[in-house]
Amino acid sequence: MPDRMLSCGARGQSVSALQSLTLLNSPFLNEQSRLCATRLLQSEPIPQKRINRLFLRTLGRLPSERENQTTLRFLHAQERILSAKKEPNLQQTLWADLCLALFNLNDFLWIR
């Protein structure tokens, strides 16, 4: 266990389940995800351009081809789930879920 009285000049990357759960369940991040989704839906009618804009806003870059395909699969799978649940605000919830997923990527959390 580290000594809490000593400072650490650098922290190595680590994966913590508690950190991920905290971020996924954070009221603040969930609200920011909803706000981000609202802006995306209002500003861009084309889903692919929305994805590009979301990556630029959150990660400062466009998605790779693999990330783009993964994102599209996520959107389709999530849309099926939300449709089955008869989600009243389908598009808003769908894009908020994607925003939250990007907010939890290591690229968003770590400076490289």
Side-chain angles (χ1 to χ4, degrees):
M1 180 177 261
D3 184 349
R4 292 183 187 186
M5 299 306 291
L6 296 174
S7 65
C8 177
R11 179 178 164 191
Q13 286 188 345
S14 65
V15 177
S16 167
L18 185 57
Q19 180 182 21
S20 296
L21 289 172
T22 299
L23 292 172
L24 282 173
N25 294 312
S26 162
F28 175 75
L29 272 186
N30 277 279
E31 178 63 20
Q32 294 308 306
S33 298
R34 283 190 293 277
L35 292 171
C36 185
T38 299
R39 284 191 296 267
L40 284 171
L41 290 167
Q42 290 173 348
S43 66
E44 191 56 65
I46 301 167
Q48 183 57 58
K49 289 187 177 183
R50 267 188 222 143
I51 292 169
N52 289 346
R53 184 173 292 215
L54 178 59
F55 268 76
L56 282 170
R57 284 184 136 184
T58 56
L59 306 176
R61 62 175 174 79
L62 291 171
S64 68
E65 184 57 36
R66 182 177 174 197
E67 289 169 326
N68 191 55
Q69 293 303 315
T70 301
T71 300
L72 290 171
R73 280 194 307 274
F74 173 85
L75 288 171
H76 292 303
Q78 198 69 357
E79 187 170 21
R80 283 193 303 274
I81 292 167
L82 294 172
S83 293
K85 292 181 176 181
K86 299 192 183 337
E87 172 61 43
N89 299 315
L90 179 69
Q91 289 298 307
Q92 175 71 29
T93 303
L94 176 67
W95 286 90
D97 289 349
L98 178 60
C99 292
L100 184 61
L102 261 69
F103 291 163
N104 279 275
L105 290 176
N106 280 340
D107 289 337
F108 186 80
L109 300 173
W110 295 95
I111 298 172
R112 294 181 189 208

